[in-house]
């Protein structure tokens, strides 16, 4: 899968935005383009090196065919003040794979 301006084509907006500062208790996530519903896919969310995928929520945009999901994670406890890293890893049974990393700050 190609990239657009340094981002994988399958990645929409990320939250918090790269390099921004947020309050403790802010959620972390992204919108991700996925294949139509007949194909399986996998999305992992890694925060500061820890796989937090089990705790993330996935919302499916009601389009036909399904083309976009929103993943979000609300850390509990919130990350401490300072810089934090996020990594999203995506793969699907059609062979598409990509990952994207960014950083944000907790004030």
């Amino acid at each position: 899968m190609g990239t657009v301006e340094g981002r994988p084509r399958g990645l929409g907006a990320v939250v918090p935005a790269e390099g921004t500062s947020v309050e403790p208790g802010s959620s972390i996530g992204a919108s991700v383009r996925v294949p139509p519903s007949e194909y399986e896919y996998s999305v992992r969310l890694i925060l500061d090196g820890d796989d937090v995928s089990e705790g993330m929520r996935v919302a499916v945009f009601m389009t036909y065919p399904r083309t976009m999901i929103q993943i979000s994670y609300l850390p509990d406890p919130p990350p401490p003040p300072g810089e934090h890293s996020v990594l999203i890893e995506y793969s699907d049974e059609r062979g598409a794979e990509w990952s994207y990393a960014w950083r944000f700050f907790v004030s």
Side-chain angles (χ1 to χ4, degrees):
M1 194 172 268
T3 60
V4 177
E5 297 179 19
R7 285 181 175 230
R9 288 186 189 272
L11 181 66
V14 296
V15 176
E18 185 160 0
T20 60
S21 184
V22 298
E23 295 295 319
S26 297
S27 66
I28 298 160
S31 54
V32 178
R33 186 167 310 282
V34 295
S37 57
E38 65 266 19
Y39 295 100
E40 295 292 321
Y41 66 89
S42 172
V43 178
R44 291 180 51 205
L45 183 65
I46 297 149
L47 173 63
D48 294 333
D50 294 324
D51 188 338
V52 296
S53 303
E54 290 291 321
M56 76 180 177
R57 292 180 159 202
V58 178
V60 178
F61 288 86
M62 299 306 292
T63 60
Y64 183 81
R66 172 193 73 197
T67 57
M68 190 73 78
I69 61 170
Q70 177 72 36
I71 60 171
S72 63
Y73 175 69
L74 186 59
D76 185 26
E83 184 178 40
H84 297 278
S85 63
V86 182
L87 174 66
I88 293 178
E89 295 178 334
Y90 172 88
S91 63
D92 67 39
E93 69 179 57
R94 299 176 307 169
E97 293 184 353
W98 55 260
S99 62
Y100 185 74
W102 78 98
R103 296 186 178 281
F104 68 95
F105 301 87
V106 173
S107 51

